């Protein structure tokens, strides 16, 4: 597990908690439509135990608990199962159990509120230095605290109770990408006589005086865009800048293009009076976009990347009716799996 090389401002044992709202709806209209909260805890500095954990809300007799990330992935189809009472009352739909699902936003918010409170109060999180991150476009409908007109600096709200202090060791970061065109493309401005280029790094807005809380992460070009030219022009001709034909007009119709997008890190809540440095928090998330097992930069920080990819394991599975033996799943004895 990579350990971010961040400047002073974060404890060495800081862990990273990512929230993602997985949808059980696919492209097919025959799939259910429901949001399933997924939480992944990355502990790069853990001395013992697993470094990547996932929250299972049905563990410990329904109380909830942390399990290994691979174990969570295998549990997700069961956690996303469709109960008969969640279906529409139309009897014609009973033959297709997951054709229509109730899209009750208030119910989704109540579910997420209970989910967050259980996660944040777990022994692995409470009173420990933890950076909680959530994707704005993915979770703000269910967790309304992430919305611009609702959130308040250095406070948090996970239910119907009034907002309260962030709590010892906890930091809240909202990650925003170019989904729905909410962040723009970027470039690096060069000298007046030169061309603009691409610069990777962590940036902050120039209009933030003093306590800066909004930062922008930029990455280097992906391997698939290695031949993309910063000066390429697909709308007309441009003079060649180098080579024997320097100054001659050329066209870039056949040159691949690359439009990099900004990834925004908004440190919504931290304990600045206790020594928390918002820039260090944003830098840690920026460095988490460079995963050692990936050739190119990740679009999201690694903890949020892992939580997002749990979506691939959320499958539409109808829950069996315990009163109907024909619908009950067949139980296979372990001895039946052993070959003679």
């Amino acid at each position: 597990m990579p350990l971010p090389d961040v400047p002073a401002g974060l404890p060495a044992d800081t862990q990273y908690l990512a929230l993602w709202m997985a949808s059980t709806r696919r492209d097919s209209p025959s799939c259910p439509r429901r949001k399933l909260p997924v939480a992944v805890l990355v502990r790069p500095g853990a001395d013992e135990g697993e470094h990547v954990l996932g929250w299972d809300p049905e563990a410990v007799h329904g109380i909830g608990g942390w399990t290994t990330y691979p174990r969570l992935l295998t549990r997700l189809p069961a956690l996303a199962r469709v109960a008969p009472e969640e279906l529409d009352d139309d009897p014609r739909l009973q033959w297709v159990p997951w054709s229509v699902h109730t899209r009750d936003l208030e119910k989704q918010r109540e579910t997420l509120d209970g989910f967050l409170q259980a996660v944040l109060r777990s022994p692995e999180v409470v009173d420990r230095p933890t950076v909680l991150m959530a994707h704005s476009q993915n979770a703000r409908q269910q967790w309304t605290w992430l919305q611009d007109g609702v959130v308040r600096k250095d406070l948090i709200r996970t239910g119907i109770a009034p907002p309260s202090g962030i709590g010892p060791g906890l930091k809240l970061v909202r990650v925003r990408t170019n989904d729905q065109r909410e962040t723009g493309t970027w470039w690096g401005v060069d000298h007046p006589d030169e061309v603009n280029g691409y610069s990777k790094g962590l940036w902050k807005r120039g209009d933030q005086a003093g306590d800066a809380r909004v930062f922008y992460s930029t990455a280097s070009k992906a391997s698939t865009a290695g031949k993309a030219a910063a000066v390429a022009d697909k709308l007309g001709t441009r003079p060649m800048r180098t080579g024997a034909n320097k100054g001659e007009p050329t066209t870039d119709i056949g040159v691949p293009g690359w439009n990099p997008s900004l990834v925004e890190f908004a440190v919504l809540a931290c304990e600045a009076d206790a020594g928390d440095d918002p820039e260090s928090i944003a830098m840690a998330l920026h460095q988490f976009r460079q995963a050692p097992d990936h050739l190119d930069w990740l679009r999201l920080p690694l903890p949020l990347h892992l939580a997002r990819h749990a979506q691939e394991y959320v499958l539409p599975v109808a829950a069996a009716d315990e009163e109907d033996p024909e619908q009950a799943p067949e139980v296979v004895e372990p001895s039946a799996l052993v070959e003679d």
Side-chain angles (χ1 to χ4, degrees):
M1 176 56 58
L3 181 64
D5 182 18
V6 298
L10 281 179
D13 58 344
T14 300
Q15 53 189 10
Y16 303 86
L17 175 60
L19 171 70
W20 187 265
M21 299 300 297
S23 176
T24 58
R25 181 181 183 181
R26 296 290 187 173
D27 295 336
S28 171
S30 63
C31 294
R33 296 170 293 181
R34 188 175 63 172
K35 292 291 185 179
L36 176 71
V38 175
V40 173
L41 181 64
V42 175
R43 308 184 298 173
D47 296 331
E48 58 183 15
E50 294 288 336
H51 290 272
V52 182
L53 303 177
W55 181 260
D56 186 345
E58 295 185 358
V60 196
H61 306 288
I63 299 177
W66 292 101
T67 184
T68 63
Y69 179 70
R71 171 64 177 168
L72 172 67
L73 298 181
T74 62
R75 289 275 297 134
L76 285 176
L79 296 175
R81 64 185 180 272
V82 181
E85 59 269 16
E86 297 181 74
L87 302 174
D88 269 5
D89 296 331
D90 189 345
R92 296 174 299 176
L93 300 177
Q94 301 301 319
W95 297 102
V96 186
W98 43 72
S99 60
V100 176
H101 234 247
T102 303
R103 302 188 67 181
D104 188 351
L105 187 56
E106 290 300 325
K107 184 176 180 180
Q108 293 178 14
R109 290 171 179 172
E110 292 176 3
T111 300
L112 178 60
D113 289 342
F115 182 89
L116 275 174
Q117 292 177 21
V119 168
L120 296 180
R121 293 176 182 174
S122 63
E124 290 80 1
V125 175
V126 66
D127 294 335
R128 298 193 179 188
T130 304
V131 177
L132 170 61
M133 65 191 80
H135 188 267
S136 177
Q137 293 98 317
N138 169 258
R140 65 189 175 199
Q141 289 299 317
Q142 288 72 33
W143 193 10
T144 57
W145 186 247
L146 299 177
Q147 298 177 8
D148 287 339
V150 179
V151 68
R152 296 294 180 269
K153 181 180 177 181
D154 293 336
L155 298 177
I156 189 172
R157 188 183 67 193
T158 58
I160 61 175
S164 60
I166 192 64
L170 188 63
K171 309 103 172 54
L172 175 60
V173 180
R174 184 186 65 188
V175 181
R176 198 160 59 129
T177 59
N178 66 334
D179 292 349
Q180 305 170 21
R181 299 183 178 181
E182 293 195 13
T183 64
T185 56
W186 60 270
W187 63 90
V189 179
D190 210 322
H191 296 288
D193 297 334
E194 300 294 334
V195 297
N196 296 333
Y198 304 124
S199 300
K200 65 178 180 180
L202 183 70
W203 315 83
K204 62 181 179 181
R205 287 167 37 184
D207 58 347
Q208 298 184 99
D211 186 17
R213 293 298 184 98
V214 180
F215 304 87
Y216 295 96
S217 172
T218 59
S220 56
K221 288 197 298 184
S223 58
T224 55
K227 296 183 179 180
V231 296
D233 186 357
K234 293 181 178 293
L235 301 179
T237 60
R238 64 172 178 86
M240 299 186 67
R241 302 185 66 252
T242 59
N245 297 324
K246 181 178 179 180
E248 296 294 328
T250 184
T251 179
D252 299 304
I253 296 178
V255 178
W258 183 59
N259 296 319
S261 60
L262 291 171
V263 178
E264 180 186 273
F265 299 144
V267 183
L268 303 182
C270 65
E271 294 181 296
D273 295 339
D276 286 348
D277 181 14
E279 184 174 347
S280 297
I281 298 172
M283 178 61 73
L285 269 59
H286 170 72
Q287 294 187 9
F288 262 126
R289 295 185 62 196
Q290 307 173 68
D293 295 334
H294 294 262
L295 177 61
D296 299 319
W297 284 58
L298 300 177
R299 185 168 181 244
L300 298 171
L302 180 61
L304 202 55
H305 173 84
L306 295 176
R308 176 178 177 270
H309 275 277
Q311 169 71 68
E312 301 174 6
Y313 293 81
V314 177
L315 305 176
V317 179
D321 189 351
E322 296 180 358
E323 298 180 358
D324 187 353
E326 295 183 359
Q327 294 187 12
E330 180 184 359
V331 179
V332 180
E333 297 294 337
S335 59
L337 301 178
V338 180
E339 296 182 358
D340 295 333

